[in-house]
Amino acid sequence: MSWSRRQVVRRFMVGAAGTMLPIGMHRHVHAITPIKRLILVPTPQQMMPDAWLMRRGGMAHSAFGYELGDVSVSEFSPTLAPLAQHKRRLNIIEGLAQVTAIPSSGEVNAHDASYANLLSAAGVHPTQAKYGVGPSLDQLVAAAIARPDQIPSMTLGPDVYLGGFSHLGQEQRTPSQGSPQQAFYRLFPEARPGTPGANPDVRSRIEASRGKIVDFARREFERVGVGLPSEGRATFASHVTLLRDLERRLSVFSQRANCAAPAETYPESETENRERFHMFARIVAAAMACDRTRVAVIQPRELFAREVGVLMGDVHQDYAHQAHLDNHAAAVMARWNRVYGEYIAYLLDALADYPEGDGTLLDSCLVVWFNEHGLTRAPHTLVEMPVVIAGGSALGLRTGRYISVPRLTPHPQVPESRTGVPHSHLLVSIARIMGLSNTWVGEASHGLAGGGMLDLSGPLAGF
Amino acid sequence: MAPETNPICGATPAAGPALVRRLTRTEYLNSLSELLPGAVSPSTEPLLLTDPAVDGFENQTRAIRPSALQVEAWSDVAAAAAQVALSAGPARVLGCSPEGDQALSCVGTFVSAFGLKAFRRPLTESEKSSYVELYQSLREELDVASSTELLVQAFLQSPQFLYRMELGHAGPTGIRALDSFEIATRLSYLILQSTPDDTLLAAAGASKLTNPDGLQIEIQRMLAKPAAASAFGEFVRQWLELNAVLDRGSHKDPVIYPGWNSELAKAALDDTANFAGFVFRHAQPTLKTLLQSGAGPVDARLIGVHGGVEGSAQRAGVLTRIAFLAANARSVGGSPPLRGATVQRSLLCASPPLPPSDVDRSEPLPSEGVGVTNRARFESRVASSMCKGCHVGMDGIGYGFEHFDAIGQFRTVDNGQPIDARGVLIDTGSTDGPFDGAPALSARLSESPVVNDCFVARFFQYAYGRPASDSDHCALERLQARFVASGGDLVDLIQQIALGPEFGQVAGFEDNAR
């Protein structure tokens, strides 16, 4: 059965009203210190500039900004129009540059580079661009803000190129959960159906003892790890930490927590891309409302031809790579971007459906829509990056703005050329909003072809 | 150069690094089935994550490290498998009745026996005590069945089960020699991708694996098991990067290929794995057979696509099976660059460069010219001197597959024109030169010294869970020479890896525990 977002939320609110986290309590608690949550949504390929930009009199590639409050829905660009109803909660930013993905010399595959660098700003692996160099922002934030008894972060999305944008560390991608059903059961284990014929009391007692088994395994890892070579020791140390976290989560879940699972079921079978994203959006919203996790990355997979209105072909090869040469291909890619805009709108609506404090769950969430490549019809650009940030007003973020950043930064490979503000600074800003005290995220500085280093410390000015 | 004449390769073989290798998804599932037959159900498999591939291989140690999701998945699978295993009652799992005076003795016997299989070595007294004590503490609150279930869960989450720790024992030279049980583990995962069976553990217990005769007997026995052929099929899937058939290869133009769907893509993977198993069991289990045989079973679901049940004059070897052809194709037609580049990576150990970012990489479609073949469209696309430098190598191979469309169906005409499947092989040493069609290409590749050496290097990487390093030079050279001398015998290659001096030892490391 397929449920609309509002149907689901209504069921959740009505059906679980007696057991879910009391809304009034949320209001009271969050009026003082709202829980901080971060949701990153990186979408693939380039962004068609004509269908995205909303310069409203601002000069191309110049620094300017304006308030979105008085912009009518009809004035929104086609790609961003689905977000218009949330305009007062948005920060739309154009002109950032992934300078850390551009080496001072040599070629790099721009897909590999962005998948490694977009969320980490850690640069590109010296020999294999497809491997990450350092942890991504979601993992940094999760390590800092997750309660020990929570799932620190959820990385969601099936069959994403190279395994996705999230990184645990060097050469370690964060495994991505592709099945909404499995993600749902992970966040709401009490919703997992019991085994037919099994005695529920017995199962419940066994389930309640799982933490003890995890604790036993953890102590064994600690004991065995001592005698291992250094790399193995590090692996086991990491495993020990993960088991300790799991043990805490199991102990909390075994008490059934204080917030009920949404009364929704998710199919075991594969689903269409849009429906799958909608499921992930609803699951993440419900999980954050219940404080089951505070960080999520939702990675939509690349769209099929039929989803962007063409009968056949491989959109990546046949349209994304053609958009700068062919108007039809550019129109197809604009539809591609718009579909992802609709995805984001669905997610924002899902979050906004949960009342919290004086507003909604969206206000204490920072939702960041990153895009793999830049605002150019040509594919594979790592500059002119579009970013949309939604929510965050309860976290102290000023919202309702369109910001075009200055393009005065030296290009890493072309000394005479200037590009936008390094996106590293935005990652620092987000990290600080989330309560971290980072001076930089990823690389502290980046080498330039003409010599010298680009300082990447500090937050994004004017944000 | 023969290894014995290479002065760099002295009498002391180089030892590889002492790695702690976690079980891959495949290894975990196989091992679980060996430990608890029937415990892997359709509902437990989806809980496990797929492993990230490096160079096509999903078992490379540096890429498969623990994560929160992974650790939780193992815990969930352990819980699900233990529940299934206990569904017939605790006595079935324990092998005795854990009631009354005999309870502790029964559990102790189970811990020793099950622990031996789970840890792939006998438990120490201390380990045995800790598991028995765990059971006793569980029994204070739970019944026998529940306590046994949780005890099984504990074994399945143990580091000794989830990780292979073949670390050896320090000797006077600094090199660490593996003991019999560590060799048994290496051997079993090399040949069967699974935990050692009872016979192998018994041989290890009798110290038979540290002498060549005893080792040889076990190698032969294991190679004869059906699982050895399946394990080779698993290698072939990863070596040829065939999972692409489930992603890129599963999206075909529904108007041209109305019958193609994700189920057929999965069938194509099974088909190639079965073909690899057929080659492994062939009277001549050689690289030549793998690349040239037109025989072998065809997956029943693919007969309509493949065009033949058993044998076909039009097809020769693994590169003409549906999985390779459909994986390296676009939605409308086969892709000579994709097919050629995969052959370059997997069989020639070359690294074909990615195209520059500003070139047209769209699929040349039939609408671009009436009566123009797929080949002609690609030739036109890469005609500029900027493209030719790279495409002459990859397309020179890829054009050889032009008899096969985007889902691997054989054809004699394309867009009304006769097929031209002539190509030119370069950078393969003495086998360079022109050929006509995939069977001729495969024949040339199977004779190529570059291909033979590359195959050994790729299998070595797969076997050891890491790429070969400079210190592996002598071992590789020896294996490559033997591979050629054996006529490219695949089974012999596995034997030679297992019998090689470096198989039973690892490099020294700082031992913090002692």
Side-chain angles (χ1 to χ4, degrees):
Chain A
M1 176 182 281
S2 176
W3 291 85
S4 76
R5 178 181 46 77
R6 288 190 185 279
Q7 276 176 311
V8 170
V9 172
R10 256 200 310 275
R11 269 175 70 102
F12 180 25
M13 303 298 282
V14 175
T19 50
M20 68 178 287
L21 191 63
I23 291 167
M25 191 176 91
H26 263 304
R27 284 179 192 281
H28 176 69
V29 171
H30 294 169
I32 302 166
T33 44
I35 296 172
K36 295 174 176 175
R37 292 107 160 178
L38 179 64
I39 304 173
L40 307 180
V41 187
T43 54
Q45 301 299 339
Q46 73 270 43
M47 189 72 76
M48 292 298 101
D50 294 345
W52 189 94
L53 289 166
M54 292 171 44
R55 287 189 169 141
R56 222 192 182 204
M59 299 287 286
H61 296 162
S62 64
F64 65 91
Y66 62 86
E67 300 292 323
L68 289 167
D70 61 345
V71 178
S72 69
V73 172
S74 62
E75 286 180 276
F76 268 73
S77 64
T79 304
L80 298 176
L83 309 179
Q85 66 165 312
H86 296 288
K87 63 183 180 180
R88 293 181 194 281
R89 289 161 154 155
L90 302 180
N91 273 287
I92 301 172
I93 305 173
E94 65 158 287
L96 296 169
Q98 279 202 70
V99 296
T100 43
I102 306 170
S104 57
S105 64
E107 290 220 0
V108 64
N109 177 294
H111 290 295
D112 294 354
S114 189
Y115 274 76
N117 181 75
L118 183 63
L119 302 189
S120 74
V124 180
H125 194 283
T127 56
Q128 294 271 12
K130 63 187 174 185
Y131 303 133
V133 175
S136 47
L137 182 65
D138 52 301
Q139 296 303 309
L140 293 173
V141 171
I145 71 169
R147 278 200 332 251
D149 58 357
Q150 286 178 317
I151 292 173
S153 69
M154 292 292 285
T155 306
L156 304 164
D159 305 329
V160 192
Y161 178 69
L162 294 178
F165 290 88
S166 175
H167 301 264
L168 297 166
Q170 181 159 354
E171 297 180 5
Q172 294 176 73
R173 273 203 159 70
T174 312
S176 191
Q177 175 63 262
S179 156
Q181 186 190 59
Q182 294 303 327
F184 180 58
Y185 289 155
R186 187 166 181 235
L187 287 158
F188 296 97
E190 68 270 30
R192 196 186 289 273
T195 309
N199 181 328
D201 290 339
V202 171
R203 295 315 314 163
S204 171
R205 281 198 293 275
I206 291 174
E207 202 58 26
S209 299
R210 275 182 65 186
K212 189 173 187 175
I213 301 304
V214 171
D215 175 60
F216 182 83
R218 177 180 60 75
R219 285 185 278 118
E220 201 176 348
F221 268 94
E222 285 174 340
R223 205 165 45 243
V224 175
V226 174
L228 300 180
S230 56
E231 200 171 320
R233 256 198 327 275
T235 300
F236 271 36
S238 160
H239 206 127
V240 163
T241 304
L242 296 167
L243 284 171
R244 185 176 287 122
D245 293 345
L246 175 60
E247 188 186 339
R248 287 175 178 141
R249 291 200 295 278
L250 287 170
S251 74
V252 168
F253 286 151
S254 69
Q255 295 161 21
R256 290 289 178 265
N258 57 351
C259 180
E264 190 177 9
T265 56
Y266 294 92
E268 193 175 331
S269 56
E270 291 180 18
T271 50
E272 291 295 313
N273 284 333
R274 185 184 291 266
E275 179 58 17
R276 188 190 302 106
F277 186 90
H278 287 182
M279 289 177 181
F280 281 140
R282 297 198 299 268
I283 290 167
V284 165
M288 293 206 167
C290 268
D291 203 20
R292 298 288 173 105
T293 189
R294 294 175 178 180
V295 178
V297 179
I298 312 179
Q299 310 179 104
R301 64 180 287 175
E302 298 212 340
L303 303 172
F304 297 131
R306 63 179 178 277
E307 294 174 283
V308 286
V310 287
L311 287 177
M312 62 183 190
D314 170 346
V315 182
H316 178 173
Q317 301 291 348
D318 300 344
Y319 297 96
H321 289 168
Q322 296 301 299
H324 58 312
L325 305 170
D326 178 89
N327 286 336
H328 172 59
V332 169
M333 289 314 295
R335 284 202 289 277
W336 167 288
N337 299 147
R338 160 88 183 200
V339 167
Y340 289 125
E342 292 164 357
Y343 281 18
I344 302 293
Y346 187 93
L347 171 63
L348 302 189
D349 291 349
L351 293 164
D353 273 338
Y354 288 94
E356 190 170 281
D358 297 328
T360 72
L361 179 59
L362 176 57
D363 299 316
S364 65
C365 280
L366 210 58
V367 179
V368 190
W369 176 15
F370 285 106
N371 202 61
E372 180 192 359
H373 290 149
L375 278 159
T376 55
R377 283 181 59 163
H380 306 141
T381 47
L382 296 164
V383 296
E384 291 300 313
M385 303 300 295
V387 178
V388 177
I389 299 174
S393 59
L395 308 178
L397 179 65
R398 187 181 152 206
T399 59
R401 293 181 295 168
Y402 186 101
I403 301 167
S404 175
V405 302
R407 276 69 159 184
L408 301 171
T409 305
H411 189 283
Q413 272 194 357
V414 190
E416 65 275 16
S417 180
R418 292 287 179 271
T419 188
V421 176
H423 92 303
S424 314
H425 295 300
L426 176 62
L427 301 196
V428 173
S429 293
I430 295 170
R432 291 193 178 176
I433 291 168
M434 287 293 120
L436 281 74
S437 56
N438 287 41
T439 304
W440 68 81
V441 170
E443 289 185 340
S445 58
H446 191 71
L448 300 171
M453 302 292 283
L454 204 55
D455 180 11
L456 299 176
S457 61
L460 179 62
F463 174 61
Chain B
M1 182 183 289
E4 53 273 21
T5 62
N6 187 340
I8 300 169
C9 300
T12 307
L19 298 177
V20 175
R21 298 175 62 177
R22 87 149 165 79
L23 300 188
T24 65
R25 184 180 196 276
T26 303
E27 291 169 341
Y28 180 95
L29 287 170
N30 289 345
S31 303
L32 189 54
S33 295
E34 178 74 27
L35 276 175
L36 297 167
V40 177
S41 70
S43 62
T44 51
E45 278 198 53
L47 297 173
L48 279 177
L49 306 174
T50 52
D51 296 308
V54 174
D55 300 330
F57 297 130
E58 297 162 9
N59 66 349
Q60 300 297 287
T61 305
R62 76 173 187 215
I64 52 171
R65 296 175 190 165
S67 67
L69 185 55
Q70 183 76 61
V71 167
E72 199 164 318
W74 278 323
S75 178
D76 287 345
V77 174
Q83 186 184 351
V84 172
L86 266 292
S87 57
R92 184 89 173 263
V93 173
L94 294 168
C96 50
S97 174
E99 305 288 353
D101 296 344
Q102 303 302 310
L104 266 190
S105 146
C106 171
V107 171
T109 304
F110 169 74
V111 164
S112 296
F114 192 76
L116 171 64
K117 295 184 77 166
F119 285 17
R120 305 178 277 272
R121 61 164 175 77
L123 274 62
T124 63
E125 283 305 314
S126 158
E127 288 168 338
K128 188 178 163 185
S129 298
S130 73
Y131 276 83
V132 171
E133 285 164 15
L134 172 68
Y135 176 83
Q136 287 176 304
S137 74
L138 292 166
R139 277 290 283 125
E140 289 170 10
E141 297 175 7
L142 301 166
D143 60 16
V144 168
S146 301
S147 301
T148 308
E149 188 175 322
L150 287 159
L151 181 64
V152 170
Q153 279 193 32
F155 273 113
L156 298 182
Q157 292 180 73
S158 164
Q160 313 281 357
F161 175 65
L162 296 174
Y163 290 85
R164 294 167 50 190
M165 287 171 277
E166 295 132 31
L167 305 176
H169 303 273
T173 62
I175 287 176
R176 301 170 70 96
L178 303 187
D179 66 25
S180 251
F181 286 101
E182 291 171 324
I183 290 173
T185 297
R186 270 202 171 177
L187 203 55
S188 191
Y189 284 102
L190 170 69
I191 299 175
L192 304 174
Q193 296 203 319
S194 185
T195 200
D197 62 15
D198 291 340
T199 308
L200 185 60
L201 289 170
S207 299
K208 289 180 179 173
L209 303 180
T210 45
N211 77 71
D213 291 344
L215 184 60
Q216 182 70 267
I217 288 169
E218 280 307 306
I219 292 171
Q220 294 301 333
R221 184 184 68 79
M222 293 165 73
L223 284 168
K225 293 181 81 164
S230 303
F232 183 71
E234 179 68 9
F235 162 76
V236 169
R237 176 182 68 80
Q238 297 180 36
W239 166 54
L240 293 176
E241 304 168 18
L242 295 179
N243 266 20
V245 77
L246 301 178
D247 183 16
R248 176 176 65 210
S250 68
H251 310 145
K252 304 299 180 190
D253 182 356
V255 176
I256 303 173
Y257 308 107
W260 185 262
N261 54 38
S262 59
E263 282 307 307
L264 283 191
K266 288 174 187 164
L269 274 187
D270 293 343
D271 174 73
T272 295
N274 289 336
F275 173 71
F278 161 80
V279 171
F280 199 76
R281 290 276 164 262
H282 195 271
Q284 293 182 308
T286 60
L287 181 60
K288 190 172 180 177
T289 306
L290 183 66
L291 290 174
Q292 290 195 43
S293 175
V298 176
D299 190 284
R301 295 164 288 182
L302 291 175
I303 288 172
V305 180
H306 189 277
V309 180
E310 185 83 19
S312 161
Q314 296 139 356
R315 295 182 191 266
V318 71
L319 300 180
T320 60
R321 307 297 290 202
I322 304 301
F324 174 83
L325 296 165
N328 295 290
R330 306 287 283 278
S331 60
V332 172
S335 169
L338 284 176
R339 288 168 174 175
T342 304
V343 168
Q344 285 184 318
R345 281 194 304 275
S346 299
L347 280 88
L348 297 168
C349 291
S351 302
L354 289 167
S357 61
D358 55 349
V359 301
D360 179 0
R361 287 205 273 178
S362 65
E363 179 172 15
L365 296 172
S367 55
E368 292 184 14
V370 176
V372 179
T373 63
N374 184 56
R375 176 186 182 130
R377 293 193 295 272
F378 271 96
E379 284 177 331
S380 168
R381 181 66 64 83
V382 301
S384 76
S385 56
M386 184 186 77
C387 303
K388 271 185 174 171
C390 298
H391 278 274
V392 68
M394 66 179 85
D395 295 2
I397 294 169
Y399 289 139
F401 298 101
E402 275 303 284
H403 276 296
F404 302 99
D405 65 16
I407 63 169
Q409 293 179 120
F410 187 82
R411 58 187 182 172
T412 54
V413 293
D414 176 16
N415 223 358
Q417 302 296 315
I419 292 288
D420 178 359
R422 290 172 300 164
V424 179
L425 204 52
I426 60 173
D427 296 331
T428 63
S430 55
T431 42
D432 277 2
F435 62 87
D436 189 352
L441 168 65
S442 289
R444 269 185 184 274
L445 289 170
S446 65
E447 298 294 334
S448 161
V450 175
V451 171
N452 277 265
D453 283 357
C454 173
F455 184 84
V456 173
R458 301 303 305 277
F459 198 89
F460 185 95
Q461 177 177 359
Y462 184 69
Y464 281 100
R466 61 177 175 82
S469 66
D470 290 347
S471 64
D472 298 311
H473 167 75
C474 294
L476 262 186
E477 210 173 60
R478 187 189 70 247
L479 290 167
Q480 286 164 338
R482 169 76 184 209
F483 190 62
V484 170
S486 72
D489 192 316
L490 306 165
V491 178
D492 184 69
L493 172 62
I494 297 172
Q495 288 188 73
Q496 294 307 316
I497 288 175
L499 291 169
E502 53 287 316
F503 192 76
Q505 59 187 25
V506 293
F509 59 88
E510 189 183 345
D511 191 338
N512 295 287
R514 293 164 202 172

